[in-house]
Amino acid sequence: MSAQFPVARPRRLRRTAAMRRMVSGTRLHPAELVLPLFVKEGIGEPNPIGSMPGVFQHTRDSLRKAAHEAAEAGVGGLILFGVPAVKDARGSAADDPDGIVQQAVADVVADVGDALVVMTDTCLDEFTDHGHCGILTPGGEVDNDATLERYAAAAVSQARAGSQVIAPSGMMDGQVAAIRAALDADGFEQIPILAYSVKYASAFYGPFREAAECAPQFGDRDAYQQDAAGPAGEALREVRLDLDEGADAVMVKPALAYLDILRQVRDAVDVPVAAYQVSGEYAMIEAAAANGWIDRDRAIMESLVAIRRAGADMILTYWATEVAKKLQ
Ligand code: PBG
């Protein structure tokens, strides 16, 4: 072995923390983090979510505090989910001008609406008594076109309450076009749509369904959300359709199990791409860490760096405030 062997030594750039920091190819910034928040109608105290340690169903009051804390930490945005006191078959609370989401959005926008972006998830599953994301046919299928009218009404109602970005998550065909037309007709042509374009039917949504109280009462969402093993090209087709319908930004969800899809989407489009690190991804790391099986803080950062590296411009994560504080 010659004295110079090996000439190429990649370890040279890894030796010190200062060196690693300087050559880092993937950086996280608080502004690209989006915090999902749950607000529940009619509760007096915040209600902890068992499967998501550290996450709560908020009261209007505790939501304001959480929103302030996020803004102070420099988080880029919030996305609100509401749990109404009363549910019915058509999800009437979704477009109730005095509904819990509408009230909460108005509160939060008044408080921190200049410091960060206040978005609303637009769907029906939190509002329907059957827990599906739309109106049902007599046979129990989700009726795509009847649901579009409900999404449009909910989106307009959220915009009237002050929502700064509408984020439709229900995977109905044509939902972006229906919402865009309704927003424009109501004078909200300046309100962007962040489309959950690529959304897989995922076991990783389990804990969210406890948080948002929206588990389907029968069946599953396989007939409207994408199949993890679905056709090649399906994700890009969904993205293209949403962009043609007027989406301003698109989302891939969940994140960690779909990093390949995230990269494909990032390389294919010229709009911002968000990724949603969903409830099950959060719960897995929290649960393993609580058992002492992994290093919680390192696992959180490693997962976020992976999502960023795969191409996400924005990351929805339940750790947004905590991580933003650490990055500050
Ligand atoms: C539907 C919606 C879901 C999530 C966000 N929006 C649940 C579902 O499709 O069943 C999941 C988010 C998460 O798991 O963190 N409104």
Side-chain angles (χ1 to χ4, degrees):
M1 198 181 295
S2 82
Q4 293 102 343
F5 182 84
V7 171
R9 294 183 182 272
R11 288 178 53 180
R12 289 181 193 121
L13 299 183
R14 298 181 196 139
R15 269 186 56 235
T16 67
M19 187 72 79
R20 292 191 295 273
R21 178 164 159 266
M22 185 184 76
V23 302
S24 168
T26 303
R27 289 180 210 281
L28 292 170
H29 191 279
E32 70 206 13
L33 302 177
V34 175
L35 176 68
L37 286 168
F38 304 100
V39 58
K40 181 166 173 172
E41 191 169 26
I43 53 172
E45 291 295 321
N47 185 23
I49 314 300
S51 51
M52 301 178 75
V55 178
F56 296 84
Q57 288 180 328
H58 283 290
T59 65
R60 278 176 68 185
D61 245 24
S62 69
L63 183 83
R64 297 175 84 142
K65 288 195 193 106
H68 266 289
E69 205 190 335
E72 214 118 276
V75 163
L78 308 175
I79 182 161
L80 303 187
F81 296 89
V83 185
V86 180
K87 306 188 183 211
D88 60 20
R90 59 190 292 279
S92 301
D95 58 328
D96 178 349
D98 301 317
I100 184 62
V101 174
Q102 287 77 1
Q103 292 182 331
V105 168
D107 290 345
V108 169
V109 168
D111 287 359
V112 295
D114 294 331
L116 45 64
V117 180
V118 181
M119 323 195 226
T120 45
D121 180 272
T122 304
C123 197
L124 286 184
D125 56 327
E126 296 96 336
F127 305 96
T128 54
D129 50 11
H130 47 74
H132 277 289
C133 296
I135 301 289
L136 300 181
T137 65
E141 280 187 60
V142 175
D143 182 337
N144 191 87
D145 299 10
T147 300
L148 295 182
E149 290 170 36
R150 301 290 303 130
Y151 285 1
V156 167
S157 163
Q158 291 172 350
R160 287 180 183 165
S163 177
Q164 297 168 335
V165 174
I166 299 297
S169 66
M171 291 304 279
M172 296 304 125
D173 293 332
Q175 63 185 14
V176 171
I179 288 171
R180 185 72 271 159
L183 288 174
D184 291 358
D186 215 66
F188 293 109
E189 53 284 296
Q190 295 301 332
I191 297 294
I193 295 176
L194 165 59
Y196 287 69
S197 301
V198 181
K199 179 173 178 182
Y200 288 91
S202 175
F204 294 107
Y205 304 151
F208 174 95
R209 294 180 184 169
E210 178 191 348
E213 299 179 23
C214 64
Q217 296 306 297
F218 65 91
D220 50 40
R221 306 208 202 292
D222 292 2
Y224 43 106
Q225 298 178 348
Q226 288 168 239
D227 181 357
E234 182 180 40
L236 291 181
R237 179 158 192 252
E238 287 282 4
V239 164
R240 191 172 358 100
L241 289 169
D242 281 358
L243 291 176
D244 288 349
E245 291 177 25
D248 299 282
V250 297
M251 196 194 299
V252 173
K253 176 185 174 189
L256 266 197
Y258 299 91
L259 294 181
D260 55 330
I261 301 290
L262 182 55
R263 170 49 58 191
Q264 282 177 27
V265 172
R266 175 60 288 162
D267 288 345
V269 303
D270 50 9
V271 296
V273 177
Y276 199 144
Q277 183 178 50
V278 301
S279 57
E281 300 179 61
Y282 178 92
M284 282 196 297
I285 290 179
E286 290 287 350
N291 277 291
W293 294 337
I294 55 170
D295 179 329
R296 176 181 180 277
D297 294 2
R298 288 191 60 184
I300 291 170
M301 292 310 272
E302 190 175 332
S303 64
L304 289 170
V305 164
I307 296 164
R308 181 86 183 82
R309 197 184 59 230
D313 302 296
M314 290 119 71
I315 305 175
L316 287 74
T317 173
Y318 299 97
W319 289 303
T321 302
E322 177 183 332
V323 170
K325 282 182 186 165
K326 205 173 296 173
L327 294 172
Q328 263 182 345

